[in-house]
Amino acid sequence: MPFVNIKITKEQKPATPEQKQQLIEGATKLLQDVLGKNPQTTVVVIDEVETDNWGIGAKSVSEIRKKDTL
Amino acid sequence: MPFVNIKITKEQKPATPEQKQQLIEGATKLLQDVLGKNPQTTVVVIDEVETDNWGIGAKSVSEIRKKDTL
Amino acid sequence: MPFVNIKITKEQKPATPEQKQQLIEGATKLLQDVLGKNPQTTVVVIDEVETDNWGIGAKSVSEIRKKDTL
Amino acid sequence: MPFVNIKITKEQKPATPEQKQQLIEGATKLLQDVLGKNPQTTVVVIDEVETDNWGIGAKSVSEIRKKDTL
Amino acid sequence: MPFVNIKITKEQKPATPEQKQQLIEGATKLLQDVLGKNPQTTVVVIDEVETDNWGIGAKSVSEIRKKDTL
Amino acid sequence: MPFVNIKITKEQKPATPEQKQQLIEGATKLLQDVLGKNPQTTVVVIDEVETDNWGIGAKSVSEIRKKDTL
C-alpha cells in the first residue's frame, strides 16, 4: 500500500517509457524486499520537472546546464 | 484552510473543466461537512499524471491499458 | 487508482478516527461519482500539521488563534 | 538540505525564467538566513498548475478569473 | 538531483532505522542505475503515516486491520 | 494563492516557533515581491522530518551526523 513519488528533471533526452517502467518496478520491489509490502497495491508516481523549475545551490538547473557547456 | 491534492491519471478522455470544478466543489464541501472547515480558504490542486508516469502493481498504467485492449 | 492527500491543521480538538474515516469515504466516493474511478484502488492520506507549522496571510495559525482569543 | 516546493497557478502571463530564478534564490537564502541551512544542498521545485486545476473557495481559478473580467 | 518521497503506514512494528537506511540506499541506487543520476545529490524522504490517516478502498487501514484480526 | 511546502530535518535543536514564523513571513513576502501574489491567500506548510527518515548521498542524516561527531 505504499506510495512513492519520484521527482526528476526533464532533460533534453527525457526518460523513456522503458526507463520509467524500470523505476516503477524497482521502487515496488524495494518496498517488497525491505518491508514486505504488497506489490499489487504499491503506487509509484513520477513527476518530470522543467529545468527552469528545479533549483539547487540557489541556481536553476537551466542556469547550471549553461555553465556546464561553456 | 485545508489543502487537498488530488492526483489522477491523464486518460485519453481527460477530465473536463466541469468535472474538475465538481472535484473542487466536492472536496471543499467534504471538509466543511466533516470538520467544519471554512470553504473560503480551502485550496484544491488537481495533478493529472501521464499514464507512463503512474505505476501500480509494478506496471505503468500505459502497460496495463495495453493488456486491457488485447 | 487516484491518490488524494488532505492536509489539515492539528487543532486542540483534533479530528477523530470517525471523522477521518468520513474523509476517506467521502473523497473516495467523490472520485467515483465524478470520474468513475475504482474505489478499491483509491488511496487517501491525511496529514495533520501543527498550528506552528501552517501559515496563511504571512502568520502562523498559532499566532492567528492567539488573536482570536483576545 | 531542505526541500522547498512552490505551487503557483499558470497564468496567461506565466512566470519567466528570471522570476523562477528569483524564487529559487529567495527560498534558498530564506532557509540559510533563518535556520543556517547550507545553500549548496537546498532544493527548490516549482510546480505551475493550470487554472482549471486549482480551486479556492469551492471554485476553480478559471471560473474566478471569468468573473473578474465581467 | 532527484527527490524521492516514500509514504508508508506506521504499523505496530514500525520500520527500523536499518530498514529506512536500506530504503534510502535502494532508491538512490535505482535512480543511478536507471537514469545515471548522481547519488551524492539524490534526496529521499520517508513519511510514516498513522493507520487512522491512510485509506484504501474507502476504509482506513485501522478499520482494515481490525477485520484482519477477527 | 500560492502554496509553499518547506521540508526540513528535525534536528536536536529543532526550529523554534519564532523561526517558523520567519519562514512563513519570508516565503509569503517572496511570492509577493517576485510574482505579485496576494499574501492574504498564500499558504505555507512546514514539514519537520526525523533524521532517520531523510537521506542524501545514499545515507540517512542520522548516519551522516554520527560521522560528523567522530
Side-chain angles (χ1 to χ4, degrees):
Chain A
M1 213 163 26
F3 177 82
V4 181
N5 178 226
I6 299 173
K7 289 184 195 297
I8 51 175
T9 47
K10 188 158 196 164
E11 303 287 339
Q12 285 192 318
K13 275 193 176 182
T16 64
E18 288 72 28
Q19 288 172 323
K20 292 173 184 176
Q21 174 60 35
Q22 289 172 40
L23 291 177
I24 290 166
E25 274 176 37
T28 305
K29 190 171 184 313
L30 180 66
L31 271 298
Q32 185 178 21
D33 288 352
V34 176
L35 296 175
K37 297 290 183 181
N38 179 358
Q40 289 312 311
T41 54
T42 295
V43 174
V44 181
V45 171
I46 302 166
D47 292 334
E48 296 174 278
V49 179
E50 301 292 328
T51 54
D52 279 352
N53 292 14
W54 191 298
I56 184 166
K59 286 205 177 58
S60 78
V61 174
S62 299
E63 287 299 309
I64 295 169
R65 292 282 184 275
K66 272 186 208 165
K67 295 201 174 155
D68 286 356
T69 331
L70 292 182
Chain B
M1 212 164 26
F3 177 82
V4 181
N5 178 225
I6 299 173
K7 290 184 195 297
I8 52 175
T9 47
K10 188 158 198 165
E11 302 287 338
Q12 284 192 319
K13 276 193 174 182
T16 64
E18 288 72 29
Q19 289 172 323
K20 292 174 184 176
Q21 174 60 34
Q22 288 173 41
L23 290 177
I24 290 166
E25 275 176 38
T28 305
K29 190 170 184 313
L30 180 66
L31 272 297
Q32 186 178 22
D33 288 353
V34 176
L35 295 176
K37 297 290 184 183
N38 180 0
Q40 289 313 311
T41 53
T42 295
V43 174
V44 181
V45 170
I46 301 166
D47 293 333
E48 295 174 279
V49 178
E50 302 292 328
T51 54
D52 278 352
N53 291 14
W54 191 298
I56 185 165
K59 284 205 177 59
S60 77
V61 174
S62 299
E63 287 300 310
I64 294 169
R65 291 281 184 275
K66 271 186 209 166
K67 296 201 173 156
D68 285 355
T69 332
L70 292 182
Chain C
M1 212 163 27
F3 177 82
V4 181
N5 178 226
I6 299 174
K7 289 183 194 297
I8 52 175
T9 46
K10 187 156 198 166
E11 303 287 339
Q12 285 192 318
K13 275 192 175 183
T16 64
E18 289 71 28
Q19 288 172 323
K20 292 174 184 176
Q21 173 60 33
Q22 289 173 41
L23 291 178
I24 290 166
E25 274 176 38
T28 305
K29 190 171 184 316
L30 180 66
L31 272 296
Q32 185 178 23
D33 288 352
V34 176
L35 296 175
K37 298 291 184 182
N38 179 359
Q40 289 314 310
T41 54
T42 295
V43 174
V44 181
V45 171
I46 301 166
D47 292 334
E48 297 174 277
V49 178
E50 302 292 328
T51 55
D52 279 351
N53 292 14
W54 190 299
I56 184 164
K59 284 206 179 58
S60 77
V61 174
S62 300
E63 288 299 310
I64 295 170
R65 291 281 184 274
K66 273 185 208 166
K67 296 202 173 155
D68 286 356
T69 331
L70 294 182
Chain D
M1 213 163 27
F3 177 82
V4 181
N5 179 226
I6 299 173
K7 290 184 195 296
I8 51 174
T9 47
K10 187 157 198 166
E11 303 287 338
Q12 285 192 317
K13 275 193 175 180
T16 64
E18 288 72 29
Q19 289 172 322
K20 292 173 184 176
Q21 173 61 34
Q22 288 172 42
L23 291 177
I24 290 166
E25 274 176 37
T28 305
K29 190 170 183 317
L30 180 66
L31 271 298
Q32 186 179 20
D33 288 352
V34 177
L35 295 176
K37 297 291 185 182
N38 179 0
Q40 289 313 311
T41 53
T42 295
V43 174
V44 181
V45 170
I46 302 166
D47 292 334
E48 296 174 278
V49 178
E50 302 292 328
T51 54
D52 278 352
N53 291 14
W54 191 297
I56 183 164
K59 285 205 177 58
S60 77
V61 175
S62 300
E63 287 300 309
I64 295 170
R65 292 280 183 275
K66 273 186 207 166
K67 296 202 172 155
D68 286 355
T69 332
L70 291 181
Chain E
M1 213 163 25
F3 177 82
V4 181
N5 178 225
I6 299 173
K7 289 184 195 298
I8 52 175
T9 47
K10 187 157 198 166
E11 303 287 338
Q12 285 192 317
K13 274 193 176 182
T16 64
E18 289 71 29
Q19 287 171 324
K20 292 173 183 176
Q21 173 61 33
Q22 289 173 41
L23 290 177
I24 290 166
E25 274 176 37
T28 305
K29 190 169 184 316
L30 180 66
L31 271 297
Q32 185 178 22
D33 288 352
V34 176
L35 296 175
K37 297 291 185 183
N38 180 358
Q40 289 312 312
T41 55
T42 294
V43 174
V44 181
V45 170
I46 301 166
D47 292 334
E48 296 174 277
V49 178
E50 301 292 328
T51 54
D52 278 351
N53 291 15
W54 191 298
I56 184 165
K59 284 205 178 60
S60 77
V61 175
S62 299
E63 287 300 309
I64 295 170
R65 292 280 184 276
K66 273 185 209 167
K67 295 201 174 156
D68 287 356
T69 331
L70 292 180
Chain F
M1 213 162 28
F3 177 82
V4 181
N5 178 226
I6 299 174
K7 289 184 195 297
I8 51 175
T9 45
K10 188 157 198 165
E11 303 287 338
Q12 285 192 318
K13 276 193 174 182
T16 64
E18 289 71 29
Q19 288 172 323
K20 292 173 184 177
Q21 174 60 34
Q22 289 174 40
L23 291 178
I24 289 166
E25 274 177 37
T28 305
K29 190 170 185 314
L30 180 66
L31 271 298
Q32 186 178 21
D33 288 352
V34 176
L35 296 175
K37 298 290 185 183
N38 180 359
Q40 288 314 311
T41 53
T42 295
V43 175
V44 181
V45 170
I46 302 166
D47 292 334
E48 297 174 278
V49 179
E50 302 292 327
T51 54
D52 278 352
N53 291 13
W54 191 298
I56 185 165
K59 285 204 178 60
S60 77
V61 174
S62 299
E63 287 299 310
I64 295 170
R65 291 281 184 276
K66 273 187 211 167
K67 296 202 174 155
D68 285 357
T69 331
L70 291 182

